[in-house]
Amino acid sequence: MLRPRSLSFLTLAGLAILGLVALTGLARLRFNYNFNDFYPTGDPDLAYYQDYAARFGNDNDYVLVGLEAPAGRTLFDAGFAQRVDTFTHFAQRQAHVQQVIGPTTAANPIVEGLGVFNVPYLHLDRLATDPASRAQDSALIYRTPGLVGNLFAPDARAVTVVLLTDPDLKKPPGDSLMAALRGELTRLGIPDARIHLGGKLVAQSVFVDRLKVEMALFVSLSVLLVMGLLWLTFRAWWGVVLPLTVVAGATIGGLALVGWSGAGIDLMTALLPVMMCVVGIADSVHLLTRYVTETGEGTPTVPALRVSMKESMFGSGLSALTTSLGFFTLTTSHIRPIHNFGLYTGLAVLIAYALSFTLLPALLVLLPRPQQQFGAGRSWDGPLTRLLRLVLLRRRWILGAAAVLVAGSLAAASRVRIESRLLDDLADDDPVQLDFRFFERQFAGVRPFELHLVPQGGRSVFSLDVLRETEEIENYLQRGYGLRFVASPVTVVKSVRKAVNGGALEEYRLPDSEAELQRLLRRVRPFRKKAEFRALALEDASQGRLTGRMPDPGSTTVAGLNRGLQRFLREHTDPTVLRTRQTGSALLIDKNNQNLTRDMLIGIGVDVLMVTAIVLALFRSIRMVPVVLIPNLLPIVVVGGVMGLCGVPMKVSTSIIFTIAFGIAVDDTIHFISKLRLMLGKEPTVRRAVSRTYRLAGKAVIVTSLILVGGFSTLLFSSFDGTFYVGLLIGLTLLFGVVAELTLLPILILLFYKKPRVGRARHAAA
């Protein structure tokens, strides 16, 4: 049989080999922010949109560049317009840019004979010298449909240049494009305050760059905070270094799994190192606390470790199981970043448990025995004994206060709304958020809208009855839905009709007869080569696309708008002429909200069932189930009330909080009742068993809770709202949880639990 020191060296060698293997996974790690990852995987609407996008293109492959005119000037200022034109032509020459639509290149097509002449809406050569021409341009622009709110601001003080990019452009080439655009704007002397950027590429670039900075910041703050709390707890270097070594190993293991899978570090998995700093340290603290108590009473190192591991390993195993399960339940989510976060963090928790009872004991055997006086590990006994006495003395007040708190929290929690927006994770005063609001205030907005048009009965999208149905839908969308920009095959036909009639605005309408339509369709063929027309109808005209943009009013408002749209389509669209189906990236993001409540309830439900099974296995008493669940569900209810009172909405980032918080908070309860199970076999009464358990487990409960709350509080420095609320609300849950643990739990045990007969007690303790 191997001696303890030899076994320790063998264990460390094996773990070192595993660590070297894990480094290969770390080498594969990449930061990633793919907007498409937030679509609900496996959803039929996602499959439909992917087929639709393959035919017509994605609805978010664009960059909006908003440029404000200098103070006191308008977009008709010659110097400003010339800079916009220079920038537009620069953008057209850039790689990965398929088309640029700008105010200085937009033209009014006129058909004369066999030729098509494009007359610019804005005559740059006359702006400075011909006031009359400038007035004519202004009048034409502000009367032409589709220009104001799209390329020109209503107040004539800003313009937008629209860049259509390659499909699903990734971060490296996207960053290069954005850097080139910003560089050109700087060269043209346009200050940053008058530049506004919008679109998926902008969000993608900002999110990933901030992820890198915040990940380093949070890990640093968490490590410093944990080091301080560990030092205050153990007052020795090994009490700080050893738990952090375990956490580092678990974090490396978790991130290695992310690297091997190719998932990448996104907005959610970036939280894994912080989670491990605060969650993964609990097992080490419980083991070290018990070890210090034993060695402080004179027990040699190896026997002290055996006692500590015997008393801690089972409870820590159960708590690691419940914590990891809290994360694993997130894998039921249809949102890939949440699924990955739950999977890899849950696995990292199990790795931390394994290291706590392999790496940590191996190091303790090799290190010098802690130099402490007899009884040094029991310095907390006096304060904990007095606290328990006070709790039991005021038990009626505590139970009454808990009941009132639950009732008030449930009432407040009923006010929580399910609400999300496309840029939900950015704070209201974030520069990117402010830029997107600029486009909502001055232009059509950034929220895309898509409606698939499928003519019936052998018709094409250019059939007159189909065009009239489509036009009626367009009118409703602009009047009752909120679209500020809309384009469809109707746009093509109206534009051609206007072009063949000398560009007169009054001719921008559908033809009056089938004969006129057929004459126009013969003229449409030359226009079909234009990219903007190809994006609105298939080449054989068998299907069409109605696309638009609007401000983002929030998912709750959009859900009401969608219900109204579906009602309108049922009542005013003839399905024998035209069938439609709403699709698009914004619709898919909104669909996530439909599953939020379900996913949250499933997660908490699985956790509750698991904890119930553990309690029944430990005590074989149904009466102990509410004893354990009440102190852990109460903080969840209270935090729900806090969300209702403060107006914090339920969204993707906040919906995961309750599942994670319950899985973490129940850890201390599992440790407490596992120790109570041992003490019930050693003490003659339940009260004495509770008192001894309170002294043994109280210190670890308080220390681990402080580490958890402090660690999650570092997330309050995040510029992402989702990360901020994860830190705030989980921290509050754990804070309320430790209070409930130290007050309600002993009261409920004494109130509900009845110690079995001696024979059964010995059997339970065996």
Side-chain angles (χ1 to χ4, degrees), residues 420-477:
S420 64
R421 289 180 169 81
L422 296 182
L423 289 180
D424 232 357
D425 280 310
L426 295 180
D428 290 342
D429 59 351
D430 188 279
V432 177
Q433 189 81 271
L434 294 176
D435 274 356
F436 276 58
R437 287 183 182 174
F438 166 82
F439 291 109
E440 293 187 343
R441 185 175 64 253
Q442 294 280 48
F443 296 94
V446 295
R447 179 187 173 89
F449 175 89
E450 295 291 326
L451 191 70
H452 192 189
L453 307 174
V454 185
Q456 302 296 301
R459 297 174 176 85
S460 78
V461 291
F462 295 118
S463 297
L464 188 57
D465 48 357
V466 173
L467 290 169
R468 286 171 176 168
E469 294 263 325
T470 305
E471 183 181 43
E472 192 172 357
I473 296 171
E474 280 189 0
N475 292 335
Y476 173 81
L477 289 170

Side-chain angles (χ1 to χ4, degrees), residues 449 451-453 469-470 472-474 476-477 546 562-575 578-582:
F449 175 89
L451 191 70
H452 192 189
L453 307 174
E469 294 263 325
T470 305
E472 192 172 357
I473 296 171
E474 280 189 0
Y476 173 81
L477 289 170
L546 190 157
N562 288 338
R563 288 191 295 269
L565 173 60
Q566 296 307 315
R567 185 166 53 250
F568 173 85
L569 293 174
R570 286 194 303 269
E571 295 174 357
H572 296 84
T573 303
D574 185 351
L578 176 66
R579 290 186 181 274
T580 63
R581 177 163 174 173
Q582 190 177 356

Side-chain angles (χ1 to χ4, degrees), residues 64-270:
L64 301 180
V65 182
L67 302 173
E68 292 186 82
R73 299 183 186 181
T74 69
L75 56 88
F76 298 102
D77 176 78
F80 174 70
Q82 187 59 57
R83 288 187 178 91
V84 172
D85 186 62
T86 302
F87 172 76
T88 301
H89 287 92
F90 172 85
Q92 288 173 333
R93 297 191 300 270
Q94 300 309 299
H96 308 294
V97 174
Q98 295 187 350
Q99 183 185 5
V100 179
I101 305 170
T104 62
T105 56
N108 184 21
I110 297 175
V111 177
E112 291 186 2
L114 298 177
V116 178
F117 302 91
N118 292 308
V119 180
Y121 287 105
L122 199 60
H123 292 82
L124 294 177
D125 55 338
R126 304 184 208 164
L127 284 181
T129 60
D130 191 347
S133 175
R134 184 170 56 197
Q136 290 175 357
D137 288 349
S138 175
L140 180 61
I141 288 169
Y142 281 86
R143 289 172 55 213
T144 301
L147 293 181
V148 179
N150 185 29
L151 300 178
F152 301 89
D155 63 1
R157 297 187 181 276
V159 296
T160 291
V161 180
V162 183
L163 284 68
L164 303 181
T165 64
D166 291 345
D168 294 323
L169 193 60
K170 302 302 181 185
K171 178 174 166 56
D175 283 354
S176 298
L177 173 59
M178 297 306 298
L181 297 178
R182 290 181 182 275
E184 177 64 8
L185 291 170
T186 300
R187 190 189 70 80
L188 292 172
I190 303 177
D192 290 344
R194 294 197 278 116
I195 300 171
H196 306 275
L197 301 173
K200 184 181 70 173
L201 283 186
V202 179
Q204 177 176 278
S205 175
V206 170
F207 271 54
V208 174
D209 291 342
R210 290 188 187 175
L211 276 179
K212 295 177 181 179
V213 174
E214 292 198 356
M215 188 174 177
L217 173 65
F218 296 150
V219 171
S220 301
L221 290 176
S222 298
V223 168
L224 289 174
L225 182 69
V226 168
M227 287 176 63
L229 291 172
L230 289 173
W231 176 261
L232 291 174
T233 302
F234 298 107
R235 301 299 177 94
W237 67 267
W238 48 264
V240 176
V241 174
L242 298 188
L244 288 179
T245 303
V246 169
V247 167
T251 303
I252 290 172
L255 292 178
L257 293 174
V258 176
W260 283 324
S261 71
I265 298 179
D266 55 34
L267 191 61
M268 296 304 303
T269 50

Side-chain angles (χ1 to χ4, degrees), residues 278-475:
V278 295
V279 175
I281 211 163
D283 295 331
S284 299
V285 170
H286 281 283
L287 178 61
L288 282 176
T289 301
R290 190 71 187 93
Y291 175 70
V292 168
T293 300
E294 284 297 319
T295 56
E297 294 181 348
T299 307
T301 296
V302 175
L305 269 176
R306 286 180 181 146
V307 171
S308 302
M309 292 180 68
K310 180 180 178 181
E311 292 191 9
S312 302
M313 197 169 185
F314 181 70
S316 293
L318 292 178
S319 67
L321 182 62
T322 56
T323 300
S324 61
L325 193 64
F327 288 106
F328 285 146
T329 52
L330 298 179
T331 60
T332 61
S333 174
H334 291 78
I335 305 170
R336 189 175 302 278
I338 292 180
H339 174 279
N340 291 342
F341 170 67
L343 175 63
Y344 297 116
T345 308
L347 291 173
V349 168
L350 296 180
I351 294 173
Y353 169 74
L355 292 177
S356 295
F357 292 93
T358 54
L359 176 62
L360 191 58
L363 293 173
L364 287 172
V365 167
L366 298 176
L367 291 172
R369 184 170 173 271
Q371 299 298 316
Q372 299 192 48
Q373 297 179 352
F374 180 82
R378 300 193 177 277
S379 59
W380 287 54
D381 285 4
L384 289 171
T385 300
R386 290 191 293 273
L387 178 60
L388 178 62
R389 187 182 301 119
L390 178 64
V391 166
L392 297 180
L393 184 65
R394 304 292 184 188
R395 68 180 71 184
R396 292 184 179 178
W397 285 97
I398 293 173
L399 291 173
V404 171
L405 188 60
V406 168
S409 297
L410 287 173
S414 65
R415 298 165 54 185
V416 175
R417 299 172 296 106
I418 297 179
E419 181 71 278
S420 64
R421 289 180 169 81
L422 296 182
L423 289 180
D424 232 357
D425 280 310
L426 295 180
D428 290 342
D429 59 351
D430 188 279
V432 177
Q433 189 81 271
L434 294 176
D435 274 356
F436 276 58
R437 287 183 182 174
F438 166 82
F439 291 109
E440 293 187 343
R441 185 175 64 253
Q442 294 280 48
F443 296 94
V446 295
R447 179 187 173 89
F449 175 89
E450 295 291 326
L451 191 70
H452 192 189
L453 307 174
V454 185
Q456 302 296 301
R459 297 174 176 85
S460 78
V461 291
F462 295 118
S463 297
L464 188 57
D465 48 357
V466 173
L467 290 169
R468 286 171 176 168
E469 294 263 325
T470 305
E471 183 181 43
E472 192 172 357
I473 296 171
E474 280 189 0
N475 292 335

Side-chain angles (χ1 to χ4, degrees), residues 663-732:
I664 297 173
V666 80
D667 278 6
D668 290 331
T669 305
I670 296 297
H671 278 288
F672 193 98
I673 64 173
S674 63
K675 282 187 171 58
L676 176 65
R677 177 176 174 271
L678 294 173
M679 295 305 107
L680 286 170
K682 299 178 181 180
E683 299 293 340
T685 66
V686 175
R687 186 183 180 103
R688 290 188 62 176
V690 169
S691 178
R692 187 172 176 186
T693 303
Y694 202 87
R695 294 195 303 272
L696 286 174
K699 177 182 178 181
V701 166
I702 293 173
V703 171
T704 55
S705 296
L706 287 175
I707 291 173
L708 288 167
V709 173
F712 280 110
S713 68
T714 62
L715 301 182
L716 298 179
F717 295 98
S718 176
S719 61
F720 296 117
D721 269 8
T723 307
F724 172 86
Y725 283 122
V726 166
L728 175 65
L729 298 178
I730 292 183
L732 284 176

